[in-house]
Amino acid sequence: MSQVTESQKRRSRITAAMAVAVVAALSLSFIGLILILDSVAGPVRREGPAVVEVHSDEPFYVLLIGSDSRKGTALYTGKKGEHAQVDQHSDVMTLMRVDPRSYLITLVTVPRDTVLDGSDGRINDALLDGDPAKAARAVERLTGVAVPYYMMVDFTSFSDLIDALGGVVVDVPANVTVPDPMTADNVTVTAGEDQLLDGAEALVLARARKEYGDDQDALRQVNVRNIEAAIIGKVLESPNDEAVTAALLDLEENVTTNLDMAAAAFLVMDFVAHGDEVVIYSCTGPYEGGEREDGLWVVDEQPAAWDELMAVVEAGEDPSGVIPAPRFEDR
């Protein structure tokens, strides 16, 4: 009888931990596991009980945001005149489409330098007051699709999340040395395939761009999408339910979202169980730009190009050739 009681207690603890973990999960950046969680979650209603569309199998979009906020890092001074001290920008924006029926995930970079028609500022300014919902609305306007959900990480939470997950394995296209925001000390990531990166190293790769010459930010976003895909892959390879639960707990600690994910755990398990069926497409939106008279580098909105790209994404087809991405070997 005592063994049965202990077993029940363990199951109860696992269930409680999973429920707590899913409630606050978000990302990043970001980021991959988040995509899977989104597939059943409904929006958080701040007034009254949350409504969760648990059985919906329709494709949906989530904006993964990487904030450049320096808060919580060694680079933070609190002086408004210094970059990203008080204000912040959505310097990473990946529009993620999740199709629960086909286990298809599509990652689309929204170039941060895009200027919407009729606006003077770039699209990453939408996060200046810290409200990720405004960034999602700006991306809706640009892409023409509904973006009801967002997930956001900053420097600190991104690094902590990667460490909590045990690192990620990605290809590193070039040697990169960038100060770690957590310590202000230089961190070097060495070029090579299938590199295991910890949180500080993954953040270096996600931030580095000046090493790449032309199309710096477009090439940086290739690295970002690779990191996101690596996180998804790691979750899909979870050996058991307890490992998935642990990953959800890691997310609860490190991400922010407007999703109510209390009922999402079973869908995560479903994606894991069908890991060999999951397909991840990766592409970029229009990124070619130039300097304005005021010296600011900008990318025009290009509605026709976005319409063409999103038509392919909406059809569940491979969009990678619509806007050819720059290649590292061309640099």
Side-chain angles (χ1 to χ4, degrees):
M1 178 66 70
S2 61
Q3 290 180 344
V4 174
T5 302
E6 288 303 313
S7 176
Q8 290 173 336
K9 287 181 179 178
R10 284 196 298 272
R11 287 198 299 271
S12 177
R13 286 196 294 269
I14 290 172
T15 302
M18 189 174 293
V20 171
V22 183
V23 167
L26 153 82
S27 119
L28 193 80
S29 221
F30 168 232
I31 308 178
L33 176 58
I34 291 167
L35 312 179
I36 299 172
L37 297 177
D38 298 336
S39 43
V40 293
V44 169
R45 309 298 178 88
R46 300 191 183 282
E47 308 82 20
V51 176
V52 183
E53 298 178 1
V54 177
H55 302 294
S56 174
D57 62 356
E58 294 296 318
F60 61 93
Y61 288 91
V62 181
L63 183 63
L64 307 181
I65 303 170
S67 166
D68 68 352
S69 172
R70 268 57 170 169
K71 288 185 177 180
T73 75
L75 304 179
Y76 183 68
T77 68
K79 298 178 180 177
K80 186 172 178 60
E82 298 180 8
H83 182 72
Q85 295 297 326
V86 177
D87 297 326
Q88 57 184 315
H89 309 82
S90 48
D91 274 2
V92 168
M93 286 176 287
T94 303
L95 181 61
M96 177 179 65
R97 181 181 184 268
V98 179
D99 189 341
R101 296 170 298 190
S102 62
Y103 300 104
L104 173 63
I105 297 168
T106 306
L107 304 174
V108 182
T109 288
V110 177
R112 65 172 189 171
D113 298 319
T114 304
V115 176
L116 298 175
D117 290 345
S119 172
D120 291 330
R122 297 182 293 192
I123 195 169
N124 69 340
D125 290 339
L127 193 63
L128 281 176
D129 64 358
D131 184 359
K134 291 184 177 179
R137 301 294 78 76
V139 171
E140 281 187 341
R141 175 180 165 185
L142 177 67
T143 62
V145 299
V147 186
Y149 312 122
Y150 60 79
M151 297 179 144
M152 184 170 71
V153 293
D154 58 21
F155 289 169
T156 303
S157 59
F158 174 78
S159 181
D160 289 347
L161 174 60
I162 297 297
D163 282 338
L165 293 174
V168 290
V169 176
V170 295
D171 293 343
V172 178
N175 293 337
V176 175
T177 300
V178 176
D180 178 5
M182 305 308 118
T183 64
D185 296 331
N186 281 343
V187 173
T188 297
V189 178
T190 304
E193 296 181 353
D194 297 332
Q195 301 280 66
L196 175 61
L197 306 183
D198 63 18
E201 292 165 336
L203 183 58
V204 164
L205 183 62
R207 295 182 63 213
R209 58 186 177 85
K210 294 181 179 178
E211 291 77 6
Y212 305 136
D214 296 336
D215 300 322
Q216 293 178 351
D217 203 64
L219 288 167
R220 178 170 76 100
Q221 299 301 336
V222 173
N223 290 333
V224 169
R225 295 196 305 275
N226 287 343
I227 292 171
E228 293 168 345
I231 295 174
I232 299 170
K234 186 154 194 172
V235 175
L236 293 178
E237 294 169 0
S238 297
N240 50 49
D241 291 356
E242 287 77 9
V244 176
T245 301
L248 294 176
L249 286 168
D250 295 334
L251 285 171
E252 187 270 336
E253 290 292 329
N254 296 293
V255 298
T256 308
T257 187
N258 67 337
L259 293 171
D260 181 346
M261 306 223 258
F266 82 92
L267 187 59
V268 177
M269 303 301 181
D270 184 47
F271 267 78
V272 171
H274 294 83
D276 57 347
E277 300 176 41
V278 175
V279 174
I280 303 174
Y281 290 144
S282 176
C283 70
T284 183
Y287 61 85
E288 292 186 354
E291 281 192 12
R292 295 194 311 203
E293 293 182 357
D294 60 3
L296 187 67
W297 183 270
V298 298
V299 174
D300 292 336
E301 182 173 340
Q302 304 179 50
W306 273 106
D307 287 347
E308 180 184 3
L309 174 63
M310 295 309 299
V312 176
V313 172
E314 285 274 80
E317 300 173 356
D318 185 355
S320 59
V322 178
I323 308 293
R327 300 171 65 86
F328 290 99
E329 54 264 36
D330 293 339
R331 301 301 118 198

